[in-house]
Amino acid sequence: MFSAELFTQTLIAGLMIGVLYALMALGITFIYSIVRMINWAMGEFYMLGSYIQYVVVAHALGRDLWWLAVIISTAGTFLVGYLLQPILIKPMYARAMERRDDYATVVTIALLLMLRSLAVVIGGPNQFRPETNLPVMWVGPLPMEGARVAASVCALLALGVFYLVISRTWIGLALRAMAQNRVAAQTSGVDVFRLDAMAFAIGVALAGLAGALLAPLFLVYPTNGAVATVKGFEIIVIGGLGSIPGALIGGLLLGVVESLGAGFISSSYQNAYGFLLVLLVLLVRPYGLFGERGREA
Amino acid sequence: MADLLVTEGLTKRYGGLVANDGVAMQLAAGEIRGLIGPNGAGKTTFVNVVTGIERPDGGEVMLGGAPITGLGAHEIAERGLVRSFQVARVFGNLTVHENLMVPYFACDRTQGTAGALARASELLKLSTLEPLTHDLAKSLSGGQRMLLQACAGFMIPDVRVHVLDEPFAGINPVVKDTLIDLILHENRTHGAAFLIVSHEMEIIRRICPRVTVMIAGRVAAEGPLDEIARREDVITAYLGRSFQ
């Protein structure tokens, strides 16, 4: 049953979902690079993004303005991240303390539980689905849900915007400097605590964007971020922690491997193929495809 | 001349160790001062506390008459007190040029890029780093990193005091001379004051009219190097033998 056409279609489908995986992974790796901590609540910001998308589409804008709702969801997640970081994470960093990244990481686990419980309290254990006005689209010979195509295109756009911000703006330059040497950035006059909050907010906003874009496909419920978190960290292991190209390539790779596995072997093991990939990468390059063995101070 | 940087009773303890014990010091505007003392005398601690890397346990730091005690390092840098590190802290994965842009825009985003570019190209010429403008900083030698670090400090608009922690340690004589020229140039053209921690007595003698000696966390002496080098207490505590 192998045909070149089917292979191409599966590949395209894999790349399309891979872009969204990359978005999640990019958020994780970005926060790690700047704030030096693992944010385990990434999936919950994905969840937050999907809930905002649902509420805005269902109760305010309607399905024709789904794209505006996506922008609102992303901005909303950004804002929540920007406001939460100084309260929950900054106290660990503001004073010299040993193993502060560990404390910060534990705080994000608490945040994970809090946000999930909050979703249950507010929306109940129900599943929601925001509507979209997008018809089925043809990607080459392949029929695709419109929302899926739109999600990939929007994710690509977001990656482009992210790249521009990081490479072309003053904030991007300061963030890159901070990722390499926090103390030197500080003595250069960079307000590292403000940029911590900014980086955290940008990172979680990427997750929120993924949640908003995928809400019509993977639905909205309190634990929908769990899968997103797992995929995000799979990619981080594949690509290497702290590496932005690693997050992008790893995301695409995971999408393609899952898609091909589901298409040509068996779709019931779709989530297992990614872990096989992780094992393989770990055997060959334990620090990930683009990870560094050590970082230069 | 009015004193620009003043510390009073500055104290820093690490557990039972008193690294700085009531350090009082005054630096005049436009002055180039040497800060010398034996290893472990508390020079780097003093620099750290003054520039906001660490909080003092007591005492006060004033810059231009305003207290800056306990402010964050970036706030102190913005107020015009900038430091360099003994091991040059540059941004390895940024280009030499980007390394210079970071401090400029961190401290002043109102003046636009034209001023930044002009200043950067002037400093790159003076520091002889110009051919490396678009190389990544991690490809630089130790001495070149020191030059880059110093230039990055000079990029901050309206700096009043530069504190350099061991800028000449472990770099080759040619780079040393370039760095000295840079310091003197900045001092002459911008009137910036310098506080230079160093063990290089020849250089200190050449560029610092006055030095401050720290011994065991206290200021032990202050004055021209040659005068101080004859003092008995300084000789025993610091040099161990007659200097010269």
Side-chain angles (χ1 to χ4, degrees), chain A residues 94-96 166-167 170-194 292 295-297, chain B residues 51-53 55 72-75 77-78 81-83 85 88-94 98 101-107 109 138 145 152 156:
Chain A
R95 290 183 183 283
I166 292 303
S167 63
W170 133 251
I171 289 276
L173 180 63
L175 287 169
R176 281 185 289 151
M178 226 177 112
Q180 291 166 50
N181 196 326
R182 203 179 158 87
V183 176
Q186 210 171 1
T187 51
S188 298
V190 175
D191 184 349
V192 294
F193 294 118
R194 200 174 65 82
E292 293 167 19
R295 296 183 70 85
E296 197 190 11
Chain B
T51 57
I53 302 290
R55 278 163 196 273
H74 67 273
E75 294 167 304
E78 269 178 87
L81 175 59
V82 178
R83 69 166 295 173
F85 291 89
R89 300 203 182 201
V90 297
F91 306 116
N93 285 324
L94 299 188
E98 285 175 322
M101 291 299 131
V102 171
Y104 187 93
F105 288 112
C107 293
R109 286 186 287 285
K138 64 182 172 192
R145 286 179 197 208
I156 299 180

Side-chain angles (χ1 to χ4, degrees), chain B residues 1-8 24-33 46 50 60-69 76-82 158-163 186-187 190-195 222:
Chain B
M1 268 190 286
D3 287 329
L4 182 56
L5 178 66
V6 179
T7 71
E8 272 163 24
M25 188 182 151
Q26 303 83 33
L27 185 72
E31 184 182 357
I32 303 184
R33 173 84 61 92
F46 177 70
V50 167
E60 215 171 345
V61 187
M62 314 270 281
L63 181 67
I68 55 168
T69 325
I76 291 178
E78 269 178 87
R79 283 167 173 73
L81 175 59
V82 178
D158 307 319
V159 171
R160 292 184 282 178
V161 186
H162 289 280
V163 182
E186 282 307 305
N187 179 251
H190 295 270
F194 283 83
L195 179 64
E222 210 167 270

